[in-house]
Amino acid sequence: MNIYIASLFEGFWLNIRLFILTLVMSIPLGLVITFGSMSKFRPLRWLVRTFVWIIRGTPLMLQLFVVLYSPGLLFGVPMKSRMTAAIIAFVVNYAAYLSEIYRGGIESIPKGQYEAGAVLGMTKSQVFFKVILLQVVKRIVPPMSNEIITLTKDTALARVIGIAEIIMCAERFTKQGLIWPLFSTGLFFLVFNGVLTLVLGWLERKLDYFKV
Amino acid sequence: MPILEVKNISKRFGDTEVIKDISFSLEKGETLSVIGSSGSGKTTLLRCLNFLETPDAGTITVNGEVIFDAADPMSRSEKGIREKRLHFGLVFQSFNLFPQYTALQNVTLAGMLLAKERPDYKERKSQIHEEIISNAKTILDSVGLSSKLDNYPHQLSGGQQQRVAIARALALNPDILCFDEPTSALDPELTGEVLRVIRELAERKTTMIIVTHEMSFARQVSDNVLFMDEGFVVEYGPPEQVIGNPQEDRTKQFLERYFENGNN
Ligand SMILES: Nc1ncnc2c1ncn2[C@@H]1O[C@H](COP(=O)(O)OP(=O)(O)O)[C@@H](O)[C@H]1O
Ligand SMILES: [Mg+2]
């Protein structure tokens, strides 16, 4: 019995690593993409928005295969590790989604907030960091929470490029005639998402002291 | 010497010229009301003074110093604008308070940020902060909000929010304080408290430009009234003349329409 549980934990550790690395990298990368997609320089804006459109309009599963195989097949430099390929695909995919959430948040802040800061002699960066940013954060926490919960479950997709994440581990046992490991993977996700929901809810309440 | 001289200011958006060749001047301590129907360019005029729009022609002179000259490319540059716009304060129709800050913080924020540029900031940091806070408290007290220092904007009524916004503008001690229809977004029963504050400012000889639809208020507090129509200054003079005994047909029509609609 223990060997099964150990195997599931080992698999889930991969899910968690993928989850954390994706979040840590896609959150800032998303912001960079946002600035590109809001740039006053038209060609850049157009390029970035097209890129976001492609990423959001195609399956993550396809993107995983593309990242894994195209360096080798197109340029003769095969991807060194499957995990690296998975991380790249996930980070780019989630950064594209997050960038749209950021953009929505930034664009929803009324012009009057910028103008009020400006007439009070604030610099553009002071207006952004002291006035705008926290309002944007407050607005994007709920949609970001959704993305983050979705990400935990999406990590299971990494198996399509051969990453032995938890569901892949559990499926091996079904070949030995065992079904409960498969069921119990659900528990891992439920517990993990339960904790996440609590943390994100706490963050949302932390920002409850003001209204935007 | 007038504190403000506006000469031949024009502003166009695309093909439409929104304000046309506007000139007027303002003495220190004077209250000027700007009246006119909606779309006549009143907001645009205030936004030009506050550098939220760049006029296409004309000059703006404060205390004898030309702070804007459309013919001089230098004065269109971003550099220096920040300093120059501090000659003016602006109170918006929709308050535009910062929602994540308390009333007191709204009033102190800009001052705190500006103080960082002072040469003695490092040595006197805590003292400077105390000065800014005590100044802000005095101002909030003068607009009747000493009991609301720690309230966030959403916890305040519209009238209270607008008074915080006035305090916020006053805290930077502008030479000229501009109001863009400060009571238009308020329920009628809340306009009184805001008008009272502005009236007190006028009595204390604060130099002000007030865009307003409150005709009887304008008549009482203004030293001069400027009537705008379709981007032009149509009539200018003391309120007894422009509101009480207008000379121009367009002013008469505007006022007739205004009083017919049941306003007072
Ligand atoms: N940013 C802008 N772009 C295009 N047109 C504008 C802009 N701002 C104002 N206008 C137009 O300029 C005219 C004057 O507007 P405004 O100054 O707001 O008048 P008022 O404050 O007297 O109602 C209106 O016709 C308005 O539609
Ligand atoms: Mg207006």
Side-chain angles (χ1 to χ4, degrees):
Chain A
M1 194 69 110
N2 268 343
I3 182 168
Y4 304 137
I5 292 175
S7 164
L8 293 186
F9 269 103
E10 216 171 283
F12 200 55
W13 176 233
L14 281 176
N15 295 76
I16 290 180
R17 259 174 56 200
L18 186 54
F19 170 81
I20 291 172
L21 289 169
T22 302
L23 264 196
V24 167
M25 292 192 268
S26 64
I27 285 176
L29 180 62
L31 198 59
V32 174
I33 297 177
T34 304
F35 290 141
S37 71
M38 294 179 74
S39 164
K40 288 203 179 81
F41 183 56
R42 244 176 231 226
L44 177 66
R45 191 173 66 214
W46 186 86
L47 202 74
V48 172
R49 290 199 184 182
T50 308
F51 174 76
V52 170
W53 177 69
I54 292 171
I55 296 294
R56 300 210 317 158
T58 57
L60 176 54
M61 193 192 286
L62 172 62
Q63 292 161 17
L64 282 162
F65 285 129
V66 167
V67 173
L68 180 64
Y69 293 123
S70 48
L73 296 177
L74 291 178
F75 309 109
V77 274
M79 200 39 100
K80 286 207 184 61
S81 102
R82 289 167 183 274
M83 191 61 178
T84 310
I87 289 166
I88 293 174
F90 270 84
V91 168
V92 171
N93 182 278
Y94 270 81
Y97 276 94
L98 293 182
S99 78
E100 290 292 279
I101 293 177
Y102 297 159
R103 185 157 70 91
I106 291 173
E107 284 175 349
S108 73
I109 305 301
K111 213 171 79 206
Q113 291 289 307
Y114 293 89
E115 293 182 347
V119 297
L120 290 166
M122 294 186 202
T123 63
K124 282 196 169 131
S125 82
Q126 285 172 343
V127 171
F128 185 77
F129 287 105
K130 299 287 178 181
V131 175
I132 305 299
L133 187 61
L134 193 62
Q135 298 183 47
V136 173
V137 169
K138 183 179 168 78
R139 292 210 177 180
I140 66 179
V141 166
M144 275 188 71
S145 301
N146 282 335
E147 284 303 314
I148 290 170
I149 300 290
T150 306
L151 172 60
T152 63
K153 295 170 287 177
D154 272 358
T155 56
L157 258 184
R159 65 164 300 169
V160 300
I161 59 168
I163 302 228
E165 54 72 52
I166 186 168
I167 297 179
M168 188 163 169
C169 295
E171 202 192 350
R172 287 188 193 136
F173 298 120
T174 58
K175 290 170 186 135
Q176 304 168 19
L178 288 175
I179 187 69
W180 68 262
L182 201 54
F183 288 153
S184 53
T185 59
L187 275 181
F188 281 80
F189 285 102
L190 284 173
V191 170
F192 191 69
N193 279 331
V195 173
L196 267 183
T197 308
L198 289 178
V199 172
L200 294 167
W202 171 83
L203 184 61
E204 221 169 297
R205 277 194 307 282
K206 270 297 230 195
L207 294 169
D208 251 359
Y209 69 92
F210 70 96
K211 300 249 181 310
V212 286
Chain B
M1 181 177 62
I3 195 167
L4 170 69
E5 273 184 280
V6 174
K7 278 198 191 134
N8 312 107
I9 287 282
S10 300
K11 174 69 188 172
R12 55 170 62 244
F13 293 112
D15 286 341
T16 41
E17 194 156 43
V18 168
I19 57 176
K20 300 160 187 164
D21 202 27
I22 295 218
S23 302
F24 66 91
S25 67
L26 197 63
E27 295 296 329
K28 192 166 165 45
E30 180 181 338
T31 298
L32 172 71
S33 289
V34 178
I35 59 173
S37 44
S38 137
S40 56
K42 307 180 297 296
T43 297
T44 306
L45 174 63
L46 290 191
R47 291 173 61 86
C48 284
L49 295 178
N50 285 275
F51 293 90
L52 291 174
E53 308 286 356
T54 311
D56 300 309
T59 61
I60 300 171
T61 307
V62 174
N63 287 324
E65 182 202 354
V66 179
I67 62 163
F68 177 84
D69 181 354
D72 175 8
M74 274 304 288
S75 66
R76 285 160 172 273
S77 73
E78 188 71 21
K79 200 167 145 282
I81 281 188
R82 203 161 62 85
E83 225 169 284
K84 289 172 185 168
R85 69 177 8 145
L86 287 175
H87 288 296
F88 296 89
L90 178 59
V91 174
F92 298 85
Q93 190 173 341
S94 51
F95 331 138
N96 294 345
L97 291 182
F98 307 133
Q100 72 268 45
Y101 294 119
T102 62
L104 182 61
Q105 289 168 335
N106 262 279
V107 178
T108 57
L109 179 67
M112 296 279 191
L113 294 171
L114 282 167
K116 288 186 181 166
E117 294 165 29
R118 283 165 57 164
D120 58 347
Y121 183 69
K122 283 228 169 64
E123 300 106 73
R124 297 184 53 242
K125 194 170 171 177
S126 64
Q127 205 180 332
I128 290 175
H129 282 191
E130 266 169 45
E131 283 165 15
I132 292 173
I133 290 172
S134 87
N135 178 47
K137 285 182 176 165
T138 309
I139 296 172
L140 280 164
D141 187 38
S142 76
V143 298
L145 289 174
S146 49
S147 64
K148 302 287 181 190
L149 300 182
D150 297 324
N151 287 61
Y152 288 92
H154 76 272
Q155 299 167 322
L156 300 172
S157 73
Q160 291 167 337
Q161 288 188 50
Q162 190 61 301
R163 286 186 280 151
V164 175
I166 294 171
R168 181 174 70 171
L170 283 171
L172 295 183
N173 218 352
D175 294 316
I176 301 136
L177 185 52
C178 305
F179 295 80
D180 190 6
E181 300 193 30
T183 57
S184 291
L186 296 175
D187 293 336
E189 70 270 21
L190 297 179
T191 60
E193 58 186 73
V194 172
L195 294 181
R196 199 173 318 123
V197 165
I198 300 174
R199 191 190 309 265
E200 277 164 20
L201 289 172
E203 279 160 10
R204 277 186 270 142
K205 296 292 169 205
T206 312
T207 315
M208 297 189 285
I209 303 177
I210 309 170
V211 170
T212 184
H213 286 299
E214 302 277 345
M215 231 41 79
S216 60
F217 173 76
R219 192 170 179 166
Q220 288 162 23
V221 303
S222 315
D223 298 299
N224 282 299
V225 175
L226 188 156
F227 170 65
M228 281 179 76
D229 192 39
E230 293 180 354
F232 289 106
V233 176
V234 174
E235 195 158 351
Y236 171 88
E240 306 78 49
Q241 179 204 314
V242 178
I243 299 177
N245 183 22
Q247 306 298 303
E248 300 286 332
D249 285 343
R250 279 194 278 179
T251 321
K252 286 178 196 161
Q253 283 164 15
F254 168 75
L255 290 169
E256 263 166 35
R257 228 175 323 137
Y258 178 83
F259 288 109
E260 265 169 25
N261 289 344
N263 296 292
N264 49 25

